[in-house]
Amino acid sequence: QPFQISVRPSPSVSEAASNKGQNTEGMTRLEITMPNRQSMIASVFAANKVAKRTADVNHVFLGSATNPEVFAYCADIVDRCMEGFNGTIFAYGVTGSGKTYTMIGPEHDPGIVLQVANRIFDYIRHRATEGESYLVQACFCEIYVHEKREELIDLVTSDRRGFVGEESSPIRIRENVADNNWVLEGISMWTIANPEELVAL
């Protein structure tokens, strides 16, 4: 199945400042309108100028959407992975756009990571009666751009504040020809017994 793009608008800087009672004069303002749930128009108001951009996507969430509502739209990816297919849920955006909120979330609005973990182990519990056994392993890494050079960092075993430039075993992306799959060579893999252990990474 081809990839799909969903958009989740976050409050603009001026809107967030206004909600806090701050002076918003001169701030850049972003307005998003949705002719339908599969297209959006972003209008940027700055220095008495207006710039509009239109994008056609697979889905646009309302600004009031919760993390569980966002996850419900992509939960099928997790189910397909449990059936043996590859799948990725990827959050992309500039700093402050809401990536961490969507993926991790606060306690009252749990993010996609916890919901993925819950769904995986719910699937296993329902299948356990059929005599199948499962081994769940996880890793946690980031792509860090340092002096125009990309590095893969193991966030479980390394201190990201002091890692770059220090001697360490490099993590490389390799193709496993035996099973026609891609692997992260050198990254630590952790066996997970429940959703809480996955989030604790």
Side-chain angles (χ1 to χ4, degrees):
Q1 180 177 345
F3 66 85
Q4 296 191 14
I5 299 175
S6 299
V7 175
R8 185 186 194 184
S10 65
S12 65
V13 173
S14 61
E15 181 181 346
S18 178
N19 291 339
K20 295 178 182 178
Q22 301 174 3
N23 183 7
T24 62
E25 184 177 355
M27 283 189 174
T28 299
R29 181 166 55 90
L30 171 67
E31 288 186 359
I32 294 177
T33 56
M34 294 176 289
N36 53 64
R37 297 299 293 273
Q38 292 184 318
S39 64
M40 61 179 288
I41 301 174
S43 302
V44 180
F45 298 82
N48 298 322
K49 296 181 180 180
V50 180
K52 291 189 177 183
R53 297 290 185 272
T54 302
D56 292 322
V57 296
N58 295 102
H59 186 78
V60 179
F61 293 101
L62 298 177
S64 58
T66 63
N67 280 337
E69 290 173 341
V70 173
F71 177 70
Y73 183 76
C74 55
D76 182 60
I77 297 175
V78 182
D79 297 339
R80 297 288 284 170
C81 285
M82 297 303 292
E83 294 169 359
F85 297 90
N86 290 332
T88 301
I89 300 175
F90 185 83
Y92 179 83
V94 299
T95 300
S97 61
K99 300 183 299 296
T100 300
Y101 188 97
T102 298
M103 299 302 289
I104 306 299
E107 185 174 350
H108 69 274
D109 192 18
I112 286 178
V113 171
L114 178 58
Q115 294 179 76
V116 166
N118 287 333
R119 197 170 186 91
I120 288 174
F121 284 96
D122 284 345
Y123 183 97
I124 292 174
R125 279 191 291 269
H126 286 102
R127 301 280 292 198
T129 57
E130 300 180 15
E132 298 181 359
S133 61
Y134 292 83
L135 174 65
V136 180
Q137 292 184 312
C139 60
F140 188 28
C141 69
E142 75 172 345
I143 301 174
Y144 187 87
V145 180
H146 177 65
E147 296 179 353
K148 299 182 180 180
R149 179 167 53 93
E150 294 181 350
E151 294 188 39
L152 281 169
I153 301 176
D154 189 328
L155 294 179
V156 179
T157 60
S158 304
D159 180 352
R160 76 174 76 186
R161 294 184 298 274
F163 179 88
V164 177
E166 296 181 1
E167 292 186 4
S168 58
S169 299
I171 299 172
R172 294 186 174 91
I173 301 175
R174 300 289 192 192
E175 183 180 10
N176 188 338
V177 181
D179 59 6
N180 194 30
N181 210 343
W182 293 87
V183 297
L184 294 177
E185 182 182 78
I187 198 167
S188 60
M189 296 296 294
W190 300 82
T191 300
I192 305 300
N194 52 60
E196 291 72 26
E197 289 186 2
L198 177 60
V199 176
L201 285 180

